[in-house]
DNA sequence: TTCCAATTAGAGTGATCACTACATGAAGCC
DNA sequence: GGCTTCATGTAGTGATCACTCTAATTGGAA
């Protein structure tokens, strides 16, 4: 029996799960955890609430799944180009531009993540934990890149610069969310990369 | 028939309003707009819901009042020390340290503000609008400071550096919120000030 | 005293929340 | 056909939401 693309949609768990996640990602990316109601997700994806609860244990599980799905996509952008592609400055500038592009393509992930991260509720949502893990992985990537470009950097300086690099990325993203979609993050991220690069260079000069 | 203006502590009106705002600031700073329920504020301040609605028109009005109250306090920290206190770098480093201290003293304001700013709900809360106005004022302050220290900077560079300065402040604040209260923002803000200073200096060197 | 207005207390409104019980339907396998 | 599993549909559950109504209390003014 061939799969007819007919009007009558037959029960399709995988596709329904994706539709639920799409709707939940959009709504939670716009309104945060508390602002995302199951009824709204249900209306947006066209499936009843009971279907959502068949695919996901509870609301917490749904939000966590939203974060997890964007996980790999986003982390793939945090990569330093190989050595033969250019100078150190060129490489981290390209890396920064790549992160900027991925953030502009799919801002819901970081927007929801930052909202979850800023909240301090008594029972921490699992989505927040997952987001912080992704963040730590991204942070570790940067902490590996810096000594590769500046072997003379001591560990303390690497930690400080890593923190500063992450902060700049978050802050520039927030800036775009506030000011509007017209702002292009790429040149700002490139500037950020250059400033971090210069700072690292000066730090190595100081402690030979 | 002249309504005497000198109203004493007629009842606990003024004090009650402050208690409500204190409770609302703490709760909304921890859980955001949707996460702040009138019942929770009522329990935290010891006054019934009807009293909250006597002092404030609705929830939106309450949250906006929370933002407005922190307004002046916070803006007062965004000030460049006078010229005779040191070199340009020293002055903006001191300014950055002051902002860092004020953010660590009262993080609820910026945490709530950033949560409001990131949200994109159909009906924008008034608190969000107020927060963005405060932000614009702070931004204007920075945009005035930069040409004072670097008269040769063109307007485009000033705008870019201002955006980058704000972004760094936001991002470092977020970093502290995520990593925990043990992190000291002051040295990170000072580093940020130095990097912006160096960037501005190099920009003026490039276009004399 | 009496009156008035500023607050507060308490009870209650309908709406919406996350979540569930249960029946129904569709496909695969025999 | 019958049986099972996957998935959806219907119709709720009690709890909590923002908000309101009205009566009580309070202190100052007349």
């Amino acid at each position: 029996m061939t799969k007819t693309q007919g009007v009558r949609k037959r029960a399709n768990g995988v596709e329904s799960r994706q539709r639920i996640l799409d709707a939940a990602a959009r709504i939670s990316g716009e309104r945060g955890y508390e602002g995302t109601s199951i009824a709204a997700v249900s209306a947006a994806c066209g499936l009843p609430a009971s279907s959502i609860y068949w695919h996901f244990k509870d609301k917490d599980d749904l939000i966590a799944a939203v974060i997890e799905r964007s996980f790999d996509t986003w982390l793939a952008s945090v990569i330093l180009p190989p050595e033969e592609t250019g100078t150190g400055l060129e490489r981290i500038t390209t890396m920064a531009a790549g992160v900027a592009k991925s953030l502009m393509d799919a801002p819901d992930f970081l927007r929801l993540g930052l909202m979850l991260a800023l909240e301090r509720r008594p029972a921490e949502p699992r989505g927040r934990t997952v987001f912080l893990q992704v963040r730590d992985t991204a942070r570790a990537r940067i902490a590996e890149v810096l000594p590769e470009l500046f072997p003379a950097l001591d560990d303390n300086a690497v930690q400080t610069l890593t923190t500063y690099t992450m902060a700049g990325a978050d802050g520039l993203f927030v800036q775009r969310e506030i000011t509007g979609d017209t702002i292009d993050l790429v040149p700002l991220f490139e500037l950020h990369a250059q400033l971090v690069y210069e700072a690292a260079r000066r730090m190595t000069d100081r402690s030979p």
Side-chain angles (χ1 to χ4, degrees), chain A:
Chain A
M1 178 173 177
T2 56
K3 291 183 185 176
T4 52
Q5 197 80 340
V7 188
R8 196 92 162 125
K9 55 176 182 182
R10 65 175 231 221
N12 187 345
V14 179
E15 185 198 321
S16 291
R17 193 188 148 96
Q18 292 305 313
R19 272 170 52 203
I20 295 170
L21 281 176
D22 287 340
R26 217 196 61 237
I27 295 176
S28 63
E30 288 170 355
R31 311 192 189 187
Y33 187 94
E34 295 278 355
T36 301
S37 74
I38 300 296
V41 175
S42 167
C45 72
L47 288 167
S50 55
S51 285
I52 299 178
Y53 280 97
W54 191 89
H55 288 279
F56 303 96
K57 177 174 158 285
D58 53 18
K59 180 176 166 178
D60 204 51
D61 190 40
L62 172 61
I63 300 292
V66 167
I67 293 281
E68 276 164 353
R69 196 177 55 150
S70 318
F71 182 86
D72 299 326
T73 308
W74 187 77
L75 258 190
S77 71
V78 189
I79 282 186
L80 184 70
E83 194 170 354
E84 61 272 20
T85 56
T87 68
L89 178 56
E90 285 167 354
R91 286 165 72 202
I92 71 166
T93 303
T94 304
M95 177 179 179
V99 173
K101 276 186 207 119
S102 82
L103 289 183
M104 291 169 73
D105 279 349
D108 281 345
F109 170 66
L110 188 54
R111 196 185 312 127
L112 171 60
L114 286 179
M115 283 192 275
L116 288 173
L118 285 170
E119 283 179 18
R120 299 192 161 184
R121 54 186 58 249
E124 168 165 327
R126 198 160 65 84
R128 189 183 128 108
T129 311
V130 174
F131 174 73
L132 295 188
Q133 286 170 356
V134 181
R135 248 186 109 76
D136 269 349
T137 309
R139 189 191 159 91
R141 292 260 179 93
I142 298 174
E144 286 171 14
V145 162
L146 281 171
E148 188 181 332
L149 297 178
F150 299 94
L153 274 181
D154 64 47
D155 195 61
N156 205 353
V158 168
Q159 290 307 313
T160 301
L161 281 175
T162 303
T163 299
Y164 186 79
T165 303
M166 297 280 292
D170 288 336
L172 289 171
F173 175 79
V174 168
Q175 198 71 17
R176 178 182 146 96
E177 292 298 310
I178 288 176
T179 314
D181 298 345
T182 54
I183 286 187
D184 188 5
L185 281 185
V186 172
L188 285 169
F189 267 66
E190 288 176 345
L191 171 65
H192 183 41
Q194 289 164 24
L195 294 202
V196 171
Y197 186 89
E198 285 298 320
R201 202 174 48 75
R202 265 180 287 123
M203 283 180 178
T204 56
D205 286 351
R206 204 173 304 155
S207 61

